């Protein structure tokens, strides 16, 4: 188990604000969201996740040519 960085715990009294989020140190994780005064650390998306997002978006917008398989990379 890894320890939490000093800047993360226990957090500011009253919860985090957008100004606090903007002032995070440069080594803070890049995938951080602010939800109701709490920081939510998100894991980076995998290539598979991004492929599925792209396929769903392409299918919804109808922009993929009809006979091209999304799995062959063409």
């Amino acid at each position: 188990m890894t320890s939490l960085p000093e800047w993360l715990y226990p957090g500011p009294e009253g919860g985090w604000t957008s100004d606090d989020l903007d002032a995070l140190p440069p080594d803070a994780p890049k995938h951080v969201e602010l939800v109701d005064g709490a920081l939510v650390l998100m894991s980076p998306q995998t290539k598979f996740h991004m492929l599925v997002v792209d396929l769903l978006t392409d299918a919804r917008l109808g922009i993929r040519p009809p006979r091209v398989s999304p799995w062959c990379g063409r």
Side-chain angles (χ1 to χ4, degrees):
M1 185 171 147
T2 59
S3 62
L4 296 175
E6 185 177 318
W7 57 264
L8 181 61
Y9 185 77
E13 188 173 324
W16 292 85
T17 66
S18 59
D19 290 334
D20 296 326
L21 185 62
D22 292 338
L24 289 178
D27 62 337
K30 302 298 179 207
H31 303 280
V32 179
E33 294 184 12
L34 180 62
V35 179
D36 294 331
L39 289 183
V40 178
L41 304 175
M42 308 296 288
S43 62
Q45 302 303 325
T46 63
K47 288 181 181 180
F48 175 76
H49 176 267
M50 294 311 298
L51 173 66
V52 171
V53 168
D54 287 344
L55 291 173
L56 292 172
T57 301
D58 291 353
R60 182 172 177 262
L61 297 176
I63 58 177
R64 184 171 300 280
R67 292 189 174 258
V68 175
S69 168
W71 303 107
C72 69
R74 295 182 189 182

